[in-house]
Amino acid sequence: MIQAPRGTSDVLPDEAARRELLEAHVKRILGAAGYERIETPVFEDTELFSRGVGEATDIVQKEMYTFTDAGGRSLTLRPEGTAPVCRAYIEHGMHKLAQPVKLWYLSSFFRAEAPQRGRYREFWQVGAEAIGASEPETDAELIALLAELLGAVGVRGTRLHISSLGNPETRAEYREELKAYLHAHEVELSEEVRSRIDLNPLRAFDSTDPRTREAMKDAPKLLDCLSGEDAAHFEAVRTLLDDAGMTYELDPTLVRGLDYYTRTVYEFKSSELGAQSTVGGGGRYDRLMERLEGPPTPASGWAAGVERMLLAAGELPTPPSLTDLYVAVAKPGGGPTAFQLAREARRAGLRAQLELAGRSLKGQLKHADRLGARYVAIIGDGASTSLKNMESGEQRELSTPEVIPTILRGSRLS
Ligand code: ATP
Ligand code: MG
């Protein structure tokens, strides 16, 4: 028997209804702040991610679905959304538009990871990007928008962690300092961290190994090494959050998975999620555009996992699916009339379904009841139809063209 590939899942109707609710919140909240939707291709040139996400990252090192197409091109199923959005910004000359360009997306992404609760090989993200914006207000606004979205979706137990990564130059100096510290403490580090000291020393802060975590407590922190301008930018972001009454935890060990972040970085965690506790996160990426050979453009953005948001929201009420009219057929040959009546009912704004499974009349009435239909029209032979109000049980013979106006009037049938 063929099953869905490991780490993927079907979105069944109940789940789809919850996602539609989430999408409506995204549109309302981001739309109100002037963000517009963008969707990019499911696969891209592999180089976009090796350059735009970074060679040293987990994503590029071990999580990408990469394949060669018939034309010999190396393509990769998108593992994240920021690099593609920046590629599109450059490709379509969006730097000529009034800045910032504010975009959002809701798309599926692909990472070859060990599947577990909240971690899949195909998953969905909502993302927001403000491109061409350097002001601290941008970062604070983005953080506030994500907080509002999580609140609207009903994500429980959220905590905001923030930090600043400064700029690549001070980060390079800091890296050397950290590498020296890690080398001096090699015996206390996990094999994985030790093997990557020179490739990606910052990831040591992400380790879940207890001895490594202990050793990292006294490691030098980047936050203490920021340049004056970066420190002032971060201070301004913090003041804006404070003034907005947002609580956060200053987390100097916060290392985002992507290489391209500068200055502000943040994550929202939820206590509902166990090991995969991050619902969403983001930061400023002022140097990414140049790395993709675009004009130097400051930018900031976040992405949040749809499955994790819904997991952390618990049971969202799914709106009941309602039916106004069920069109049943009493005699063989009534099908075409039923078909027309259902179409006309929908044009008139009613939710209408017709019998499609060849049930007996008794079976059709039972099915209409199961669907919660308010009315059932039973097509007789041609001109006459019997309309039954399922709430009151009243039933009346009508000419078929009278059925829809009668329902719309909501009049009593007797
Ligand atoms: P993690 O540390 O959990 O691996 P990440 O840093 O790789 O997360 P990002 O690249 O920042 O995650 O992606 C943003 C959000 O997308 C995450 O906070 C999470 O909610 C979601 N996400 C990331 N990877 C997965 C996955 N494999 N399955 C489901 N959701 C995911
Ligand atoms: Mg990850």
Side-chain angles (χ1 to χ4, degrees):
M1 197 178 73
I2 300 173
Q3 295 187 321
R6 193 167 141 72
T8 71
S9 53
D10 300 305
V11 178
L12 300 177
D14 275 355
E15 177 69 8
R18 299 175 76 213
R19 288 180 180 220
E20 271 169 31
L21 230 60
L22 185 144
E23 181 168 342
H25 289 306
V26 171
K27 284 184 175 158
R28 177 175 56 77
I29 292 167
L30 295 178
Y35 286 73
E36 295 176 303
R37 189 168 193 162
I38 182 169
E39 288 297 334
T40 59
V42 166
F43 54 85
E44 297 267 2
D45 240 315
T46 301
E47 209 188 330
L48 173 64
F49 301 114
S50 48
R51 265 206 263 165
V53 178
E55 288 287 358
T57 60
D58 277 353
I59 291 180
V60 173
Q61 289 230 318
K62 46 189 187 191
E63 295 173 359
M64 296 206 301
Y65 281 103
T66 297
F67 60 97
T68 307
D69 76 357
R73 281 171 289 261
S74 178
L75 299 171
T76 293
L77 298 184
R78 59 184 176 199
E80 61 93 47
T82 302
V85 167
C86 290
R87 196 247 331 116
Y89 177 94
I90 298 167
E91 189 167 329
H92 301 284
M94 290 191 223
H95 61 280
K96 293 185 209 118
L97 305 175
Q99 304 294 298
V101 175
K102 297 190 285 187
L103 302 166
W104 67 268
Y105 55 80
L106 173 57
S107 336
S108 58
F109 295 90
F110 307 85
R111 296 185 193 176
E113 304 199 70
Q116 48 198 296
R117 185 171 183 262
R119 189 178 296 286
Y120 315 100
R121 293 183 174 173
E122 180 185 27
F123 59 98
W124 289 71
Q125 283 182 346
V126 181
E129 318 282 0
I131 307 178
S134 57
E135 298 303 306
E137 283 78 4
T138 322
D139 303 13
E141 181 174 89
L142 278 159
I143 292 171
L145 288 170
L146 180 49
E148 196 181 335
L149 176 64
L150 297 177
V153 172
V155 175
R156 296 167 298 175
T158 52
R159 291 182 321 276
L160 168 61
H161 294 238
I162 68 168
S163 189
S164 173
L165 298 181
N167 65 62
E169 292 73 33
T170 43
R171 204 149 77 220
E173 286 165 30
Y174 165 74
R175 266 171 76 106
E176 293 312 312
E177 205 179 311
L178 179 61
K179 275 199 262 183
Y181 178 88
L182 294 174
H183 281 301
H185 292 77
E186 272 190 29
V187 291
E188 299 157 55
L189 303 176
S190 74
E191 175 53 39
E192 206 204 349
V193 169
R194 205 183 320 143
S195 68
R196 300 206 317 178
I197 291 179
D198 293 309
L199 188 61
N200 195 350
L202 280 171
R203 289 299 286 207
F205 288 111
D206 266 1
S207 174
T208 49
D209 171 62
R211 278 195 76 205
T212 307
R213 292 185 75 85
E214 192 54 40
M216 295 312 290
K217 280 193 180 148
D218 294 324
K221 304 289 182 312
L222 176 57
L223 214 43
D224 301 323
C225 314
L226 298 185
S227 76
E229 280 182 14
D230 291 343
H233 193 277
F234 189 47
E235 193 53 43
V237 173
R238 290 183 55 185
T239 304
L240 289 162
L241 295 178
D242 291 339
D243 291 351
M246 292 187 65
T247 53
Y248 55 84
E249 206 174 294
L250 195 60
D251 184 351
T253 66
L254 186 64
V255 178
R256 299 280 308 144
L258 315 183
D259 254 7
Y260 50 62
Y261 284 109
T262 47
R263 295 187 163 175
T264 323
V265 287
Y266 47 92
E267 281 184 352
F268 281 89
K269 295 182 185 285
S270 164
S271 54
E272 300 289 312
L273 286 178
Q276 273 56 249
S277 62
T278 310
V279 239
R284 177 163 280 289
Y285 50 95
D286 291 345
R287 304 292 180 93
L288 176 60
M289 213 58 89
E290 284 160 84
R291 235 157 112 168
L292 300 175
E293 287 164 36
T297 312
S300 193
W302 50 253
V306 168
E307 292 83 359
R308 286 193 203 174
M309 282 193 272
L310 292 176
L311 274 172
E315 290 305 309
L316 284 189
T318 48
S321 63
L322 296 171
T323 306
D324 296 310
L325 173 65
Y326 194 81
V327 188
V329 220
K331 299 208 176 82
T337 310
F339 180 79
Q340 285 307 335
L341 181 59
R343 271 167 53 90
E344 280 163 28
R346 287 179 208 130
R347 272 193 222 118
L350 298 171
R351 289 158 298 196
Q353 298 193 42
L354 73 155
E355 172 59 19
L356 296 172
R359 290 180 185 84
S360 68
L361 182 57
K362 198 172 152 210
Q364 293 179 59
L365 290 170
K366 212 170 134 190
H367 187 55
D369 200 41
R370 206 160 32 215
L371 292 174
R374 289 167 52 226
Y375 291 90
V376 179
I378 305 161
I379 306 292
D381 35 17
S384 105
T385 290
S386 165
L387 185 62
K388 182 171 181 181
N389 180 325
M390 298 292 277
E391 279 147 28
S392 65
E394 295 160 324
Q395 190 163 340
R396 188 169 68 148
E397 290 293 315
L398 298 170
S399 76
T400 309
E402 274 181 79
V403 169
I404 293 168
T406 306
I407 294 174
L408 289 175
R409 279 198 304 276
S411 59
R412 293 178 62 81
L413 293 174
S414 49

